[in-house]
Amino acid sequence: MRYIEPHGHMVSRTTDDYQAMALAGCAAICEPAFWAGFDRKSADGFYDYFCQLTQIEPRRAARYGLPHYSWLCINPKESEDMALAADVLALIPEFLKAPTVLGIGEIGLNKNTRNEMKVLEQHIALAVQYDQMILVHTPHLEDKRKGTRLIMDCLKANGVVKPERVIIDHVEEHTIHEVLDQGFWAGITLYPESKSTPVRAVDMIESVSAQRVWLNSACDWGHSDPLSVPKAAQEMRRRGHSAAAIDRLVYGNPVKFLSQSPRFKDPAAQA
Amino acid sequence: MSTPQPHPGAPARTREQVADLHFMDARYKLLDLAAFLDRLDRAAGGDDHRVRGLRAALPLLLEKDEGRVARILNLWSDPSVEPIAKADTKAASGVWPGLK
Ligand SMILES: [Zn+2]
């Protein structure tokens, strides 16, 4: 089996995880910029983080034969501080020149505040200015439905963003249909407790036309599982899905979305 | 028992096959939930908004039509539509605190 991990926070993982993912059939990893679990005190902290995402982590992944790509932003959890956000946004254009950066992400909302909305709009404008794809983080738990709707309204209000170049991640049963109906891609994030389990993810996959859906593990510093995508594939297998349908979901779909960036190379085409 | 409404993307399967695959998983989760409710009974104080939300969701499990997960998630969701001025926390609790 082969799969893409399209959303994994590998800076939080050990090299054992890279090894386990490679053994499970992972062919490429994409890493969106994320909250560190604490607020960074200055834009310098983000400068170092962007260096880690664009230089250090690709080298670490390469030791396991894995191409590593990244997405850049200031995470919505740190967007309440508008001055810091402005400083970080100013850093991003320089890093967009790195050959493994795929776009702006994971941007979005956390508690659905006005400041978070303003910083989201600024990120969308930056993506438009530099013709970048967008990876969206939707809020957690009780804030998800409202935040998902606000984000989609914001993307549509921009007027230029093409929905097929945007993936709205962390969808669940109450948001997936709206996201797909509006033409966006939808990401299902597999966590042991929050968001979606692999079993529920397969239920969702069976309930929609899964042409614009990807699965990811997020695998961050919290309770998460870097092998949850192959575990969802295994769940599909034992429910009787064909090998071709599984490959389409866990490999073909992310390759299709990500290949909209000329920087992403289909690992199969490189072999 | 409701009439089966298989999803277009799902291979055909019987209820017995679904039970063979997932019954034990659902069984232990139901027992864990029962144990959680018992544990709450043994503890001091009243239910907070999260536990009230969980109790409010229990009847939805017994509804006839599918879509139970989405109905529970919708029940627990913040129903407001405007961005808020400021948040007093970065975290979400799992149930909208205003749920009655
Ligand atoms: Zn993430």
Side-chain angles (χ1 to χ4, degrees):
Chain A
M1 195 197 76
R2 59 181 186 167
Y3 76 98
I4 306 283
E5 175 51 80
H7 183 151
H9 297 291
M10 300 309 293
V11 302
S12 308
R13 312 303 308 195
T14 65
T15 47
D16 289 350
D17 292 327
Y18 272 117
Q19 171 79 342
M21 291 165 79
L23 287 171
C26 188
I29 298 175
C30 307
E31 176 154 7
F34 185 46
W35 187 53
F38 58 90
D39 289 351
R40 297 172 182 93
K41 294 286 179 290
S42 72
D44 288 344
F46 283 87
Y47 181 91
D48 290 343
Y49 180 43
F50 294 161
C51 288
Q52 188 180 16
L53 288 176
T54 56
Q55 297 163 27
I56 310 300
E57 217 51 41
R59 283 207 292 273
R60 216 158 69 99
R63 296 179 60 130
Y64 299 87
L66 291 168
H68 177 283
Y69 300 92
S70 55
W71 300 73
L72 304 177
C73 74
I74 175 168
N75 188 274
K77 275 211 165 92
E78 286 161 303
S79 293
E80 206 46 47
D81 182 343
M82 302 274 297
L84 175 65
D87 289 346
V88 176
L89 277 150
L91 287 176
I92 293 176
E94 191 58 28
F95 282 95
L96 290 178
K97 295 174 187 160
T100 51
V101 174
L102 299 178
I104 301 296
E106 53 185 304
I107 58 170
L109 297 172
N110 180 50
K111 294 303 290 181
N112 304 322
T113 70
R114 287 187 202 137
N115 281 1
E116 289 170 15
M117 284 289 286
K118 285 181 199 143
V119 175
L120 170 63
E121 285 163 8
Q122 290 165 6
H123 276 107
I124 295 171
L126 187 71
V128 168
Q129 186 185 349
Y130 288 89
D131 194 26
Q132 298 290 311
M133 293 198 298
I134 294 175
L135 192 158
V136 169
H137 160 96
T138 52
H140 302 279
L141 308 174
E142 71 269 25
D143 300 315
K144 182 177 299 292
R145 186 184 66 183
K146 173 182 175 182
T148 303
R149 290 174 179 170
L150 284 170
I151 292 165
M152 290 196 292
D153 288 348
C154 197
L155 285 160
K156 282 184 291 178
N158 176 278
V160 179
V161 174
K162 295 193 181 86
E164 67 271 20
R165 299 189 78 217
V166 178
I167 181 127
I168 299 198
D169 223 326
H170 319 322
V171 299
E172 290 182 63
E173 287 84 345
H174 60 327
T175 57
I176 186 170
H177 298 285
E178 291 175 45
V179 166
L180 291 174
D181 288 349
Q182 299 201 31
F184 299 102
W185 279 70
I188 303 177
T189 301
L190 309 167
Y191 272 142
E193 284 170 355
S194 66
K195 301 194 170 67
S196 174
T197 58
V199 178
R200 274 172 54 210
V202 178
D203 290 332
M204 276 188 265
I205 292 300
E206 291 178 347
S207 77
V208 297
S209 161
Q211 287 168 348
R212 279 182 284 114
V213 179
W214 80 22
L215 303 181
N216 65 82
S217 78
C219 61
D220 49 43
W221 41 260
H223 191 28
S224 53
D225 176 3
L227 295 183
S228 59
V229 174
K231 284 177 186 171
Q234 169 64 11
E235 173 66 18
M236 288 179 78
R237 192 176 297 123
R238 71 184 194 130
R239 289 195 202 181
H241 288 267
S242 69
I246 296 167
D247 187 67
R248 215 163 31 241
L249 180 70
V250 300
Y251 188 88
N253 280 5
V255 165
K256 189 170 160 200
F257 177 78
L258 296 165
S259 294
Q260 295 181 87
S261 163
R263 287 177 173 165
F264 183 82
K265 307 282 182 256
D266 179 355
Q270 311 299 303
Chain B
M1 208 183 288
S2 56
T3 1
Q5 291 167 317
H7 287 140
R13 55 179 79 106
T14 64
R15 287 192 179 169
E16 188 177 5
Q17 286 172 316
V18 174
D20 284 348
L21 282 184
H22 296 128
F23 171 76
M24 285 306 288
D25 184 58
R27 182 183 187 275
Y28 94 80
K29 284 174 181 158
L30 186 62
L31 292 174
D32 262 3
L33 175 59
F36 172 65
L37 295 173
D38 283 350
R39 210 174 305 133
L40 286 167
D41 284 348
R42 294 194 296 271
D47 286 351
D48 72 9
H49 76 276
R50 296 167 299 177
V51 176
R52 283 199 303 275
L54 189 127
R55 291 190 199 279
L58 295 178
L60 303 185
L61 296 175
L62 296 174
E63 287 187 355
K64 267 179 82 175
D65 299 325
E66 77 143 358
R68 296 175 186 87
V69 184
R71 285 201 290 279
I72 291 173
L73 289 169
N74 279 320
L75 172 75
W76 291 340
S77 291
D78 178 352
S80 69
V81 293
E82 294 297 328
I84 58 172
K86 207 167 173 16
D88 41 23
T89 169
K90 279 190 202 294
S93 67
V95 172
W96 177 58
L99 182 68
K100 291 282 168 275

